[in-house]
Amino acid sequence: MKFSAIIILFYPERPILLNNIRLLENNGWQVVVVDNSPQSHKSWLSSSVEFRHCPENAGIAHAQNIGLLLARQQGRDYAMLLDQDSHLTEHLLQTAKQRVIEAQSRYPDLAAYGPTIVSEFDGQVVRAKVQRAVPDEHGFLHSRQIIASGKIIPLAVLSDVGLMEDALFIDGVDHEWCWRASRKGFRIISDTQVLLRHKQGESRKRVLGMTFKVGSPVRLYYQYRNILILLRRSYVPLYWKVRNCVALPVRWVINGWCLEQSKERRRYMRQGLTDGLRKRAGRYRADQ
C-alpha cells in the first residue's frame, strides 16, 4: 500500500514543519506540501517533497483538494491530511498505516480514519460532549465526524464522496465532508490506539468559569457564515444545528465584548451573518 501525507501551510513554523516531514519520509510516506502563504516556503524543502504554492490563499479546502488529486494521480492508496501545527511521532506514523488497513478490512465502507486528538493546550484527549463516538471491540471509535488533521482517506472513495467543498474555504470543511460521506453510506472511524497532539485555535480564554477557543478575528466570519450555510442542509446532523444555534449568541457576547480586538470581531461576525443569510460563499474580501 502506498501512502501520502498532505500538509497545508499558512505562515508555518519551520522547526515543526521540517521535523514532521523528516518523520514522514523516514517512515515511507510521500510528502505533499501545499502552501497558502503569500511567500513561498519551497526553499525550506528538499526536492523529494511535492510542493504547490497558492499565494492568493485559496483556502484550506482547495489546498487539500490539490494534494488529494495529486496523490490519486500518482497512484497512492491512502492520503493523510495534516495541519502544519500538528505534532507527529514515529509511533503514530507506523501504527496508523497498519490500523487504517485493518479498519478498512473490517469495515469496507470506510471513508475516513483518524487518530484520537490530544489538545496541545492542556494535554487532554478531545472528546465530544454530545453524540459521543461508539467504541467497538477492536479499539476503533465510530464517529459522525473527525477533524482534518491526521485524517486518512482511502483515495478510492473520492469517486463516490467527492472532494472537499471549496466554497466553505475553511471552517466546517472537515465535518461537512464526513457528513456527506455518511449520507452516501460510508463510515467514519477514529482510533484509540493512535494519538495526535494538535493545536485547535490560537489560544484559550476562561470567561465566567467556561473555557473558550480563541482564534483570529477573521475566522469568526467563516464560522458564522458557514454555520448559516450548513444549517440549511438536510444531511447535517440535527444536534450540530441545535448546538450551533445556541452557541452563536454566546460566541457573539464572548468575542464581541470579552476578548481583545472586540470591535473587529463584531465586524467579522456581522459580515458572516449577512453573507450566510445571502448564501454567499468563498473567500472573505474586505470590499464585499
Side-chain angles (χ1 to χ4, degrees), residues 8-108:
I8 311 303
L9 304 188
F10 189 68
Y11 298 104
E13 296 182 31
R14 185 170 182 164
I16 296 174
L17 174 64
L18 296 187
N19 185 60
N20 282 343
I21 291 174
R22 177 185 60 80
L23 286 168
L24 284 161
E25 292 189 327
N26 287 347
N27 286 278
W29 295 72
Q30 177 212 35
V31 179
V32 178
V33 170
V34 185
D35 191 352
N36 271 337
S37 311
Q39 298 297 319
S40 169
H41 295 87
K42 185 175 182 179
S43 63
W44 292 4
L45 310 175
S46 69
S47 59
S48 62
V49 175
E50 292 277 1
F51 181 84
R52 300 292 184 273
H53 188 210
C54 302
E56 74 287 356
N57 186 5
I60 195 167
H62 184 73
Q64 289 171 345
N65 289 339
I66 289 173
L68 289 168
L69 289 172
L70 180 60
R72 187 168 67 173
Q73 289 165 7
Q74 294 185 347
R76 301 287 158 168
D77 301 293
Y78 297 92
M80 176 168 60
L81 302 176
L82 283 169
D83 292 348
Q84 63 191 23
D85 53 5
S86 293
H87 291 264
L88 300 179
T89 65
E90 191 160 325
H91 175 267
L92 180 150
L93 295 174
Q94 292 176 350
T95 308
K97 276 186 175 182
Q98 301 164 3
R99 291 285 284 171
V100 71
I101 293 171
E102 178 186 346
Q104 192 170 31
S105 69
R106 296 185 184 280
Y107 305 106

Side-chain angles (χ1 to χ4, degrees), residues 9-227:
L9 304 188
F10 189 68
Y11 298 104
E13 296 182 31
R14 185 170 182 164
I16 296 174
L17 174 64
L18 296 187
N19 185 60
N20 282 343
I21 291 174
R22 177 185 60 80
L23 286 168
L24 284 161
E25 292 189 327
N26 287 347
N27 286 278
W29 295 72
Q30 177 212 35
V31 179
V32 178
V33 170
V34 185
D35 191 352
N36 271 337
S37 311
Q39 298 297 319
S40 169
H41 295 87
K42 185 175 182 179
S43 63
W44 292 4
L45 310 175
S46 69
S47 59
S48 62
V49 175
E50 292 277 1
F51 181 84
R52 300 292 184 273
H53 188 210
C54 302
E56 74 287 356
N57 186 5
I60 195 167
H62 184 73
Q64 289 171 345
N65 289 339
I66 289 173
L68 289 168
L69 289 172
L70 180 60
R72 187 168 67 173
Q73 289 165 7
Q74 294 185 347
R76 301 287 158 168
D77 301 293
Y78 297 92
M80 176 168 60
L81 302 176
L82 283 169
D83 292 348
Q84 63 191 23
D85 53 5
S86 293
H87 291 264
L88 300 179
T89 65
E90 191 160 325
H91 175 267
L92 180 150
L93 295 174
Q94 292 176 350
T95 308
K97 276 186 175 182
Q98 301 164 3
R99 291 285 284 171
V100 71
I101 293 171
E102 178 186 346
Q104 192 170 31
S105 69
R106 296 185 184 280
Y107 305 106
D109 54 357
L110 179 73
Y113 160 98
T116 293
I117 301 300
V118 177
S119 172
E120 183 74 10
F121 292 101
D122 60 13
Q124 299 298 308
V125 169
V126 177
R127 292 189 176 91
K129 295 181 176 62
V130 183
Q131 293 287 316
R132 291 179 181 272
V134 179
D136 67 14
E137 66 273 26
H138 310 294
F140 297 118
L141 299 171
H142 298 257
S143 309
R144 297 296 295 270
Q145 67 276 320
I146 56 178
I147 69 168
S149 199
K151 177 189 291 180
I152 301 178
I153 297 173
L155 290 170
V157 307
L158 295 178
S159 299
D160 292 311
V161 180
L163 295 167
M164 306 298 156
E165 186 173 342
D166 282 19
L168 293 178
F169 196 81
I170 184 165
D171 283 279
V173 170
D174 45 7
H175 287 183
E176 187 279 332
W177 189 89
C178 290
W179 298 330
R180 190 171 2 122
S182 296
R183 178 185 61 173
K184 293 176 178 289
F186 288 95
R187 189 183 301 265
I188 310 298
I189 283 176
S190 56
D191 192 350
T192 61
Q193 296 185 18
V194 179
L195 304 179
L196 174 65
R197 283 175 55 211
H198 178 66
K199 186 178 179 182
Q200 292 178 297
E202 296 178 7
S203 62
R204 295 289 187 272
K205 177 78 171 183
R206 195 159 180 82
V207 180
L208 300 175
M210 295 182 289
T211 302
F212 293 87
K213 296 176 187 175
V214 179
S216 63
V218 71
R219 288 292 294 271
L220 292 166
Y221 167 78
Y222 293 108
Q223 290 166 11
Y224 272 71
R225 186 198 69 184
N226 290 354
I227 285 170

Side-chain angles (χ1 to χ4, degrees), residues 256-274:
W257 306 102
C258 301
L259 301 181
E260 295 179 356
Q261 301 174 285
S262 58
K263 184 177 180 180
E264 188 177 6
R265 291 175 185 277
R266 290 196 298 272
R267 177 169 62 83
Y268 280 119
M269 288 187 288
R270 281 195 299 270
Q271 190 62 54
L273 287 171
T274 299

Side-chain angles (χ1 to χ4, degrees), residues 218-279:
V218 71
R219 288 292 294 271
L220 292 166
Y221 167 78
Y222 293 108
Q223 290 166 11
Y224 272 71
R225 186 198 69 184
N226 290 354
I227 285 170
L228 292 186
I229 289 172
L230 293 173
L231 282 174
R232 299 178 171 97
R233 300 186 182 180
S234 61
Y235 61 90
V236 174
L238 178 61
Y239 81 89
W240 185 91
K241 296 179 180 181
V242 172
R243 186 191 70 189
N244 280 285
C245 285
V246 172
L248 283 179
V250 176
R251 288 183 188 175
W252 184 281
V253 172
I254 298 300
N255 284 278
W257 306 102
C258 301
L259 301 181
E260 295 179 356
Q261 301 174 285
S262 58
K263 184 177 180 180
E264 188 177 6
R265 291 175 185 277
R266 290 196 298 272
R267 177 169 62 83
Y268 280 119
M269 288 187 288
R270 281 195 299 270
Q271 190 62 54
L273 287 171
T274 299
D275 286 356
L277 291 170
R278 293 175 177 174
K279 302 181 184 180

